[in-house]
Amino acid sequence: MHILCKKTCFHFNLKKRIIWRISILRRYIRSMWTRFRACCSIGKSSARYRHLPPSRTASPPQSRLVDRKPAANIVPRRSLDDRGKDSTSDLVTLKISLFGDCRIGKTSFLMKYAGEEKGGEEIKMTGINHVDKTLNVEGARISYSIWEVGGHHSSIFDQIPAACNDSVAMLFMFDLTSRCTLNSVIQWYQEARKCNQNAIPVLIGTKFDDFIQLPIDLQWTIASQARSYAKAMNATLFFSSATYNINVNKIFKFITAKLFNLNWNLERNLTIGEPIIDF
């Protein structure tokens, strides 16, 4: 009887050990499968921005960065009072300055944001392009007067003081495919800060649609340098594309939220191959 009990206990314990080991093996296989699926999904996500349509007229790619709570709504036309004139009693005008070298996409960026509301106006005495954009913000009407400074280096001394005067934000732009334009940003920033110490600084890399065609190691190098410059300038960094309207409106929503202390969350994105936002 005693021997029979020992045999029964032995078989019972053996069965428990086998079941325990099988459960451990199942958990391990399940963990490896989860990691494999995560890696596959990451690969698919990072590839989205590398395969933009080759045609410039193609529909824009969809960014995974979705505005949670827009800070402003575009108003295509000014409201009219009973006499048919523009009602400007509730209109607040704020000035934004835009700096950077020639041929980096400043004007395209500006026209993409301004849309059809108002075309560019050139101030002939200073060579500055001037565009207005009117928004509704929390029931108030805001008109952004955006001044684009010419990209020639002679403009640094001739035009920066006029552009910086009374600016609430300064946008420093460079071409993501041209590192020399990124290096020039420091000089633009230093001269602009001499004239205005209080404006919100924003560093913007343009032509993101061309940038993602570069080798991945070169993308990483340029992105790292841009992030270092943004940190030195105490600026928020955006990668953008006027062609595909990537982060163009988001940049001005960010500025609006900062100026008026609005509750709007900006998502940080440091993924190479996607439009970076760093702050």
Side-chain angles (χ1 to χ4, degrees):
M1 186 68 180
H2 179 69
I3 295 173
L4 181 61
C5 288
K6 286 185 66 176
K7 286 184 178 181
T8 304
C9 291
F10 173 78
H11 287 299
F12 178 76
N13 292 334
L14 179 61
K15 186 176 181 180
K16 282 183 63 178
R17 284 198 296 269
I18 292 173
I19 294 173
W20 177 70
R21 290 180 180 178
I22 291 174
S23 66
I24 291 177
L25 181 60
R26 283 179 178 172
R27 285 198 296 267
Y28 176 77
I29 292 173
R30 192 174 301 154
S31 174
M32 293 300 294
W33 175 247
T34 302
R35 292 183 182 181
F36 175 76
R37 290 182 63 187
C39 291
C40 290
S41 65
I42 291 173
K44 292 178 182 178
S45 174
S46 62
R48 276 182 291 180
Y49 288 101
R50 296 197 183 97
H51 298 286
L52 293 175
S55 172
R56 294 291 182 175
T57 58
S59 58
Q62 296 297 319
S63 168
R64 74 177 182 86
L65 300 172
V66 180
D67 299 347
R68 292 182 179 176
K69 187 176 181 182
N73 297 315
I74 296 174
V75 179
R77 295 179 182 176
R78 295 177 184 269
S79 60
L80 301 179
D81 59 19
D82 295 336
R83 291 165 295 183
K85 297 181 180 180
D86 285 346
S87 177
T88 58
S89 59
D90 61 343
L91 186 66
V92 177
T93 302
L94 298 174
K95 182 178 176 183
I96 296 176
S97 306
L98 199 157
F99 307 102
D101 286 356
C102 292
R103 298 175 182 174
I104 61 171
K106 296 195 306 293
T107 303
S108 298
F109 176 90
L110 195 56
M111 292 299 107
K112 176 62 70 174
Y113 179 66
E116 298 178 356
E117 181 163 327
K118 186 174 182 180
E121 260 181 35
E122 184 176 356
I123 303 175
K124 296 182 179 180
M125 292 183 62
T126 59
I128 297 175
N129 291 326
H130 172 221
V131 170
D132 290 337
K133 180 74 173 182
T134 304
L135 312 172
N136 266 346
V137 181
E138 299 290 333
R141 295 176 65 239
I142 308 299
S143 176
Y144 282 136
S145 178
I146 309 169
W147 292 40
E148 175 204 347
V149 176
H152 295 286
H153 280 272
S154 60
S155 304
I156 291 180
F157 303 103
D158 298 339
Q159 300 169 8
I160 280 185
C164 287
N165 185 35
D166 296 328
S167 287
V168 295
M170 297 188 294
L171 313 185
F172 300 93
M173 305 184 72
F174 67 96
D175 183 345
L176 283 164
T177 65
S178 174
R179 295 182 68 180
C180 64
T181 64
L182 174 57
N183 295 330
S184 296
V185 162
I186 295 299
Q187 187 178 10
W188 287 104
Y189 175 80
Q190 289 173 343
E191 293 300 323
R193 275 304 192 207
K194 291 178 183 178
C195 304
N196 189 321
Q197 295 288 330
N198 300 317
I200 298 169
V202 181
L203 180 60
I204 302 171
T206 63
K207 303 182 183 179
F208 174 76
D209 49 310
D210 294 330
F211 172 73
I212 57 172
Q213 308 303 325
L214 300 177
I216 194 68
D217 56 339
L218 184 55
Q219 291 185 44
W220 186 88
T221 301
I222 295 173
S224 298
Q225 184 179 353
R227 290 182 61 199
S228 298
Y229 280 19
K231 185 176 181 180
M233 297 162 60
N234 195 27
T236 300
L237 172 66
F238 290 89
F239 283 10
S240 71
S241 168
T243 302
Y244 294 103
N245 199 17
I246 296 174
N247 282 343
V248 175
N249 293 319
K250 186 172 289 186
I251 290 168
F252 288 92
K253 288 181 180 180
F254 163 75
I255 293 171
T256 304
K258 291 277 286 184
L259 288 173
F260 297 97
N261 196 27
L262 299 178
N263 183 22
W264 182 68
N265 295 322
L266 182 66
E267 296 181 5
R268 197 179 190 206
N269 183 20
L270 303 180
T271 305
I272 300 300
E274 297 187 12
I276 283 178
I277 299 177
D278 191 21
F279 50 89

